[in-house]
Amino acid sequence: RSVVDSFGRPTYAFGEVQELGTGFETCRDFITGTRPVKPKLAVHFSTWAWHFFEHQPLTYGFNYLEALLNGLYRGLYERNWRADAVDPAVDLADYSVVISPFLPALDEEGLRERLAEWIKAGGTWIATPFTDIRDLEGAKLRSGPYGSLEEWGQVFRAHECPIEPKPLPLRWSDGMEGEGSLWQDALEPRGAEVLATYTAWPNEGKAAITRARIGKGQVVVMATLPRPEQLLPFLERLFTEAGIQREWQASESVLAVPRAGAGGQGAVVLELEGKPGSVTLPRPATDLLSGKRYEGEVALAPYATLVLKY
């Protein structure tokens, strides 16, 4: 879209573009002198997997991007967990927890070998259904249903069952009842700790979610995907155990990105969905756009933007 129409007159967005330019100029030293603070949590995104599921959806109605972005990533940021979306080629050394959602092949850019070393060094790896089940040609693995998950996860996959249009009840190790979705692999522990168990035919009594220690790290195998109301709290417990803490408290539609560098410390705060929100600041800060000083809980108008410097 242009900011000037074919008659040479400003379009409706002209003022907004001017405002944006003024804002960048006002915050220039801070923005150019800082970088986003790297989170300790990463989520794998693979263009190979994206194309793979276009040709092998595996279960009816599965959409890789929808499941990854709206089924997982969106839930994390709505609960104030910042995560890097990383290609399988990215070095994992800076991360404490890595989630590999729906990642059929672990062999892009030597990920399998690098992942094994990272786990042994202390990383927490979380594998969802459809992870580690194909080679880079999209073929099933000759070694078994998984490439490394049975060995690393210390489990035996007895059989698999696509999800039918009926509830898939689970029971967590603390006795809480839940429900799986998407897929159901029946696991038998071979040294793994069972975190959730199927409670209905055909997998009654089989493990649904397990955890295994490898070196200083751990592998969490999710053979089914819990519903969001239990999946996200479960992931949060794993994050906390790995030493990751929420940096900010904010409304579901608010994204707060800490920044640091030679230009100082602060954050950029955005309301993303056009509705009133709020953010609680960890310390007093000045909004470089308005010059206002804020502390504690700050109310945000729809689409509000704050560039905060401590």
Side-chain angles (χ1 to χ4, degrees):
R1 295 179 182 274
S2 66
V3 294
V4 178
D5 65 20
S6 57
F7 302 104
R9 299 177 182 180
T11 66
Y12 66 91
F14 191 87
E16 294 179 355
V17 174
Q18 284 184 310
E19 182 182 358
L20 182 64
T22 300
F24 276 126
E25 180 63 26
T26 301
C27 304
R28 178 179 56 186
D29 292 342
F30 177 73
I31 295 297
T32 59
T34 61
R35 293 291 183 271
V37 175
K38 199 173 189 65
K40 304 297 288 183
L41 170 64
V43 176
H44 272 131
F45 168 77
S46 165
T47 54
W48 182 92
W50 183 6
H51 292 303
F52 168 82
F53 284 114
E54 290 292 313
H55 300 282
Q56 290 193 47
L58 299 184
T59 188
Y60 180 76
F62 179 72
N63 181 290
Y64 174 72
L65 282 183
E66 176 68 21
L68 178 65
L69 297 178
N70 290 326
L72 176 64
Y73 199 87
R74 182 185 181 93
L76 292 175
Y77 96 70
E78 286 182 343
R79 295 172 75 100
N80 307 144
W81 293 101
R82 284 196 311 122
D84 279 349
V86 299
D87 185 89
V90 168
D91 185 359
L92 302 177
D94 292 332
Y95 302 106
S96 299
V97 177
V98 173
I99 307 173
S100 296
F102 329 117
L103 188 63
L106 294 186
D107 300 303
E108 294 183 72
E109 303 297 332
L111 174 61
R112 188 181 306 276
E113 293 74 22
R114 293 185 291 107
L115 190 58
E117 293 304 312
W118 174 81
I119 295 168
K120 292 174 184 176
T124 293
W125 183 49
I126 303 170
T128 75
F130 305 153
T131 293
D132 193 28
I133 60 171
R134 295 288 192 272
D135 64 20
L136 286 176
E137 302 300 323
K140 288 187 175 183
L141 302 163
R142 294 185 178 184
S143 59
Y146 303 128
S148 299
L149 266 186
E150 285 186 312
E151 177 188 354
W152 296 355
Q154 299 170 26
V155 294
F156 174 78
R157 199 218 70 182
H159 53 260
E160 65 182 19
C161 298
I163 291 293
E164 297 180 4
K166 62 181 181 180
L168 177 61
L170 305 174
R171 180 175 295 115
W172 294 86
S173 56
D174 62 3
M176 181 179 294
E177 302 295 328
E179 188 174 313
S181 68
L182 187 63
W183 194 260
Q184 49 177 329
D185 276 348
L187 304 180
E188 297 175 357
R190 297 291 191 267
E193 174 190 4
V194 177
L195 302 181
T197 304
Y198 299 109
T199 60
W201 184 89
N203 294 328
E204 184 174 3
K206 300 293 187 183
I209 301 174
T210 62
R211 171 167 54 186
R213 305 288 178 178
I214 301 182
K216 297 179 181 179
Q218 62 180 344
V219 172
V220 176
V221 179
M222 291 196 290
T224 189
L225 195 67
R227 298 294 182 185
E229 60 270 19
Q230 291 191 329
L231 171 62
L232 291 166
F234 170 64
L235 293 176
E236 289 175 339
R237 290 194 294 272
L238 296 175
F239 301 161
T240 301
E241 289 175 7
I244 303 176
Q245 301 294 328
R246 281 191 183 92
E247 298 158 315
W248 294 71
Q249 294 292 334
S251 302
E252 288 186 353
S253 64
V254 174
L255 178 66
V257 181
R259 297 180 67 93
Q265 290 185 315
V268 175
V269 177
L270 305 167
E271 197 292 308
L272 300 174
E273 298 181 5
K275 55 188 179 183
S278 67
V279 61
T280 300
L281 307 188
R283 52 197 280 201
T286 299
D287 175 27
L288 298 180
L289 293 173
S290 67
K292 294 181 179 179
R293 187 73 171 170
Y294 293 106
E295 60 181 292
E297 185 175 6
V298 178
L300 299 173
Y303 297 121
T305 300
L306 302 178
V307 180
L308 300 171
K309 184 175 181 180
Y310 301 136

